[in-house]
Amino acid sequence: MKSIIRKRVVKGTGVAVAGLSALAVAVAAHAEGQTLNIVSWGGAYSMSQERAYHEPWMEMTGDEIVNIDQSANALAGLRSQSQAGNVTWDLVDMLPADAMIACAEGLIEPLDHDELLADAPDGTPPSEDFVDGALGECFVASIVYSNIVAFNSDMFPEDAQPSTIEDVFDLENYPGQRALMRRPINNLEWALIADGVDRDDVYDMLETEEGIQRAFDKLDTIKDSVIWWEEGAQPPQLLADQEVAFASAYNGRIFDAMVSENQPFEIIWDAQVFELDGWVVPTGKLDKVRDYLYFATDTQRLADQAQYISYGPARLSSSDLVSTHAESGIEMETHMPTYEPNFATAIQKDDEFWADYLDELSQRFDAWLAQ
Amino acid sequence: MSDSAAPLTTADGVPLKVSLRRAVRRSKFKALLLVSPLLLFLMIAFVIPIFEMLSRSVANPEVVNHLPRTVAALEDWDRQDVPGEPVFEALVEDLLEGQEARNLGLLASRLNYERSGMRSAINRTARGLRTMDPPYREGVIEANARWGELDTWKIIQREARLYTPSYYLAAVDRQLSPDGQITRAPDNLQIHVNLFWRTFWMSGLITLMTLLLGYPIAFLLASLPLRHSNLLMILVLLPFWTSLLVRTTTWIAILQSQGVLNDVMVFLGVIADEARWQMIHNKIGTVVAMTHILLPFMILPLYSVMKTIPPSYMRAARSLGGKPFLSFRRVYFPLTIPGMAAGGILVFILSIGYYITPALVGGQSGRFITNYIAYHMQTSLNWGLAAAIASILLLVVVVFYMVFNRLIGVDKVKLG
Amino acid sequence: MIDTSEAESVASATSDQADAHEIFARFTNVQKSYDGVELVVKDFNLDIRKGEFVTLLGPSGSGKTTCLMMMAGFETPTHGEILLKGEPISGLPPHKRGIGMVFQNYALFPHMTVAENLAFPLEVRHLSKAQTKEKVARALAMVRLEEFGDRRPAQLSGGQQQRVALARALVFEPELVLMDEPLGALDKNLREEMQYEIKRIHASLGVTMIYVTHDQTEALTMSDRIAVFNDGVVQQLASPDELYERPENAFVAYFIGENNRLLGEVSERVGDDCKVRLDSGDTVIAKPVAVGGVGSRTTLSLRPERVSILHGDAAEQFDNQFTATVQEVIYLGDHLRTRLSVCGNDEFILKTPNAQGFGVMRPGQQIQVGWSSADCRALDA
């Protein structure tokens, strides 16, 4: 088996040689360039993948990589392609919660991580090098990102800038519209924390009717001041237009607006809900993307991606390689969700909880919105 | 003819009727051949998907297919208590097989619709089964508490049928109790009925708005000299040639609170800077944007009807002594009813089906039931519910169409 | 030389107050322009007496319909005044003029039954239900459509629709009825029938009618007086026989009935007659109607039925005699139409009754023709 041979080679040599041999194998395997259809989220995130993975890979192998911005509907897409018997996607970037469902439906390949993925430069096997929860049955994470609330610092006096999630729910001291994502995920967690619930108890509380009611009651207090967004591009825009004072967002989008557009945004890292994101392989496509997957999840590639977007690499060994932002030269470390001060009050999104309760809570959330 | 009982024949002795039939059949066949690409297209792009949608809204194969042994074992269950070991044995066998084939996902989703928590009950239990030894009852219940609940088993037994009304019930905010009675969903889960009503009344309002705005324009179009009416017609059609998204986002730029209209109002001193109007991301946004987008669909049928009304009718009415408004009301207006009805039904049906515009400018209060079809198709992946909602909409549209056809006649619908 | 009937009408147009009360409607110096550049109607003057049937006749685009529409109130005159019963009506909207009108395509309201159509002008005048019903019934009887009150216009034949339109224009008893080419859409037989029908109704009701048509036969059949329009100007206003027998200019002669035209110039005046030297060199004696002095160009107008074939014995009857060559003979049953070549005109038509004893002429045959100078009118060139 080709990949085993390659693994031995990699294990016996240093990083540079690993790169070279990967290149050699890859070039050998791709005598003729093939086209890879890779599904991702679009925007700044796809751009970071383009720079860190796609461009070096295409240069090395002559492959053609087609970016498809369909991750938001990836599960629906996988299911309908599979039912139609014509899977055109080769590799999909999706959330672990979706990956769990897709995996249970047999839409994506189970992955043997130690066999498929590259070891850390020091020889640590992937199963030990990736952060907790990064390797699912059918899933391999590449980044840690975070759902945070950001604000436009121009809209508050300098001596009264918000800093905690309670401030988001405090209309009196921090007036203005809020933009929140139109879904129960994150909002219910934040509501409970703002209401004084300990972050370790959040998901236990949400399994009870009282907990859910408490979360909705808390959300009721700001409901009239909320604009509900659905596209990831909306919150930075709404903040920039000063349509809202606060906006929940993916931290990378806010970072991007801060450095590339010089927007006066600040991130409230308090009670950030962090979550992983990474690759799944549609059933039957493993052989086609095996080499690319090996390449795109190695230590250097994940560290490279962090030059372009403020999402933390999912490998421990990559963290030390994270340096500065490729364009602005900003030190990336403090902008990472995993940076120690930022991470102090972080919550990990409970995918299992949401797999069970998303349908019901979504309906309840919509009904609550419609009231 | 009357003097002969024998059937008429053609010159070479073939009975006339046979010969005629043959000639007609040939031309019919030719006609059929000409329309066959269209028929084929309609079959593939229209009839089959609709049939597919209808069948999906009631299809319920998951429990039957994935829990066959469990269902069989439940046959002589007394429904009084959590079933005994044989049922659990069957469940373990079914889950192991499903785990092996990696197809438990759909079953898990399906049961999770009926009862939250069933998804992990199935997935997590299935993953832990390898290390479990008989007797299973205790171990399985320990793995997930749902298995120790009576309702879980009642639901499994109830859903062991190939067709289910669940999706339709969910679409109208009803649900089946574990014992199979239809009950109202809890208030905090009531969502769809309100949305249906909102979709209908807002579509009605949009139709009315397009009528009020479109009638004078259509009248102008039909009565201006050709030179001017051509220009006006281009203005009417211009939105047709512009992308829906462009038109919708333009309204966002105009109506948002930092938008053009609010800026002008603040500049003119009509409103205070801090009291800017909220005109987008609510019902106003949806009605304004959709009225604009659907206006041509009202104007064109109206225009096509008005164009056929000779100016001499109004002149006749005036010369017969009718005051201008009375003449309009008694003569012109009744003659435009087919156009109003055609435009009305067109706009109404189209707006019921719109979802991009309400999604972009409707905010929470201005969204339609169609947005939930999209949501269930793309995000929640509850395709059965999406199909049920869509089927109900289809039914409503068909009913409207039939009423329209009965009252006005569908042949009156013309575009330009 | 000025014709007597024209002298009369000019006299009435200049209107001495004495017969003002007798004049029902009057156009004075009416002009109309749509674009500010061209006049569609140039200085139109017409007096219409009560009970009179006046026809505006002319080719399409001659301004006749515009005049009618100005009377009805759908167009406003650019200049001049229209009087109705002595009152100027320029400021009066159409619905206050009380004028009945029959439109070219009838303009029956398609969503109303025949009875409802007829009731419309009565309802807007707030007549009682009973009165309305009675008047509608009477109007239907007048046009002999008693059985058709409940039908819709689309369920009637063209002639029936025409009669309904007529009844509707009359049902509210207007003193003036305008008709805009009302028979244009009917076939020939029906048209003739309707002509008599309209004439009969006009006679029985004594209503004043202004009728617009481009069909000269229709105009000749029905009218008391006819105004012949061309190019926005009334060419001649006269009774039908007057128009036909004594056209005042080449256009009227050409437009009304058939006529042979010979072009030449006046060479000599002889008493009441004049001699005209034709372009072919022949000299014709004609009656000067609208010509200048010796040397001026003229068009001679001669009705085809006033030309006779000479058989030698009756040669003295005509002061004009020429030799003609038969070009073509068309058999038309009651008469023969012969195309001749005479005096340089190859389109010279000769109409002869199909009486016994007339031999059939052959193309190429030489014959003698003649006409009286009284029938040969020298008009403008």
Side-chain angles (χ1 to χ4, degrees), chain B residues 142-312:
Chain B
E142 196 172 319
N144 193 298
R146 284 277 187 258
W147 300 115
E149 293 167 11
L150 188 57
D151 284 351
T152 303
W153 295 99
K154 283 184 174 172
I155 288 168
I156 290 177
Q157 196 180 41
R158 193 188 75 208
E159 292 309 316
R161 51 186 170 179
L162 285 170
Y163 299 99
T164 180
S166 295
Y167 295 122
Y168 279 102
L169 291 174
V172 292
D173 293 335
R174 299 291 183 276
Q175 61 187 19
L176 283 175
S177 72
D179 293 314
Q181 271 100 40
I182 295 173
T183 55
R184 215 163 166 273
D187 279 346
N188 57 27
L189 294 179
Q190 296 275 336
I191 178 97
H192 297 113
V193 172
N194 284 341
L195 273 164
F196 272 116
W197 286 125
R198 181 198 291 164
T199 305
F200 295 144
W201 80 253
M202 280 181 68
S203 295
L205 180 64
I206 289 161
T207 309
L208 192 69
M209 296 289 290
T210 55
L211 180 64
L212 290 179
L213 293 173
Y215 200 97
I217 298 173
F219 180 77
L220 265 184
L221 267 176
S223 49
L224 278 181
L226 201 61
R227 193 153 40 97
H228 303 288
S229 71
N230 272 347
L231 184 71
L232 193 60
M233 183 60 108
I234 287 172
L235 291 180
V236 168
L237 289 177
L238 206 59
F240 255 168
W241 304 331
T242 319
S243 144
L244 177 72
L245 280 175
V246 171
R247 279 180 284 164
T248 306
T249 37
T250 308
W251 277 113
I252 297 177
I254 294 172
L255 296 181
Q256 65 185 352
S257 62
Q258 303 294 325
V260 178
L261 190 57
N262 264 314
D263 283 351
V264 170
M265 286 302 171
V266 169
F267 177 77
L268 294 177
V270 178
I271 51 173
D273 199 8
E274 21 338 311
R276 284 166 177 259
W277 291 329
Q278 183 67 37
M279 292 176 292
I280 201 95
H281 305 303
N282 56 17
K283 293 191 180 76
I284 301 174
T286 301
V287 171
V288 169
M290 284 185 59
T291 299
H292 170 231
I293 287 163
L294 293 174
L295 200 51
F297 293 98
M298 178 61 86
I299 293 175
L300 292 180
L302 269 178
Y303 166 73
S304 76
V305 167
M306 287 177 176
K307 197 75 189 161
T308 62
I309 303 174
S312 62

Side-chain angles (χ1 to χ4, degrees), chain C residues 61-195:
Chain C
S62 60
K64 58 191 191 303
T65 298
T66 305
C67 289
L68 198 72
M69 290 301 166
M70 288 191 283
M71 176 55 92
F74 300 125
E75 303 286 357
T76 41
T78 314
H79 173 81
E81 193 61 79
I82 300 172
L83 305 172
L84 199 59
K85 289 192 274 188
E87 298 291 328
I89 55 170
S90 300
L92 217 54
H95 60 276
K96 290 190 180 155
R97 295 195 181 188
I99 297 173
M101 183 148 181
V102 179
F103 291 83
Q104 200 166 3
N105 294 309
Y106 321 136
L108 297 178
F109 307 139
H111 58 297
M112 300 184 191
T113 63
V114 167
E116 284 165 348
N117 262 284
L118 296 195
F120 180 85
L122 305 176
E123 277 167 22
V124 302
R125 287 176 172 75
H126 306 294
L127 263 67
S128 73
K129 280 232 158 59
Q131 271 178 303
T132 302
K133 208 171 165 198
E134 190 221 314
K135 286 195 183 220
V136 167
R138 217 184 315 144
L140 280 175
M142 177 184 73
V143 294
R144 293 180 298 219
L145 287 172
E146 295 92 331
E147 306 300 313
F148 294 86
D150 293 332
R151 300 261 191 110
R152 301 234 172 218
Q155 294 166 309
L156 301 180
S157 71
Q160 289 167 333
Q161 290 184 31
Q162 174 56 55
R163 279 188 269 163
V164 174
L166 190 61
R168 189 179 65 176
L170 292 165
V171 70
F172 61 100
E173 291 159 18
E175 289 174 277
L176 175 62
V177 174
L178 310 178
M179 299 198 197
D180 183 14
E181 309 227 13
L183 307 182
L186 300 180
D187 63 46
K188 187 168 172 292
N189 286 338
L190 215 47
R191 196 160 14 171
E192 278 170 12
E193 193 188 319
M194 282 308 301
Q195 286 169 13

Side-chain angles (χ1 to χ4, degrees), chain A residues 72-77 79-80 83 98 100-110 137-138 177 182 184 209 213 227-228 230-231 234 238 241-243 283 352-371, chain B residues 52 56 99 101-106 108-109 112-113 115-121 123-124 127 144 146 170 173 185 187-192 194 198 256-259 278 280-281 359-360 363-364 367 372 375 377-383 385:
Chain A
N73 300 318
L75 194 47
R79 202 193 260 181
S80 54
Q83 290 196 355
D98 287 346
M100 273 171 52
I101 294 172
C103 194
E105 288 183 24
L107 299 173
I108 52 179
E109 296 271 0
E137 189 181 354
C138 303
Q177 297 274 93
R182 201 187 146 274
E209 173 57 30
Q213 196 52 53
I227 290 175
W228 301 96
E230 284 177 84
E231 302 292 332
Q234 282 174 282
L238 288 165
D241 292 348
Q242 303 203 357
E243 286 281 312
T283 302
E352 200 133 272
F353 170 82
W354 283 115
D356 277 340
Y357 290 95
L358 183 59
D359 287 333
E360 186 184 333
L361 288 179
S362 292
Q363 190 170 345
R364 184 156 173 179
F365 182 76
D366 285 341
W368 171 79
L369 282 180
Q371 276 165 24
Chain B
E52 170 88 12
R56 208 180 267 278
Q99 176 77 352
R102 305 208 312 113
N103 58 15
L104 285 176
L106 292 174
S109 301
N112 208 58
Y113 297 147
R115 192 161 165 74
S116 288
M118 287 306 292
R119 192 192 301 275
S120 65
N123 287 337
R124 206 186 295 178
R127 278 200 296 273
N144 193 298
R146 284 277 187 258
D173 293 335
D187 279 346
N188 57 27
L189 294 179
Q190 296 275 336
I191 178 97
H192 297 113
N194 284 341
R198 181 198 291 164
Q256 65 185 352
S257 62
Q258 303 294 325
Q278 183 67 37
I280 201 95
H281 305 303
L360 287 175
Q364 183 50 37
R367 68 182 48 224
Y372 279 77
Y375 168 75
M377 284 303 292
Q378 292 170 349
T379 310
S380 84
L381 299 192
N382 191 344
W383 290 357
L385 182 53

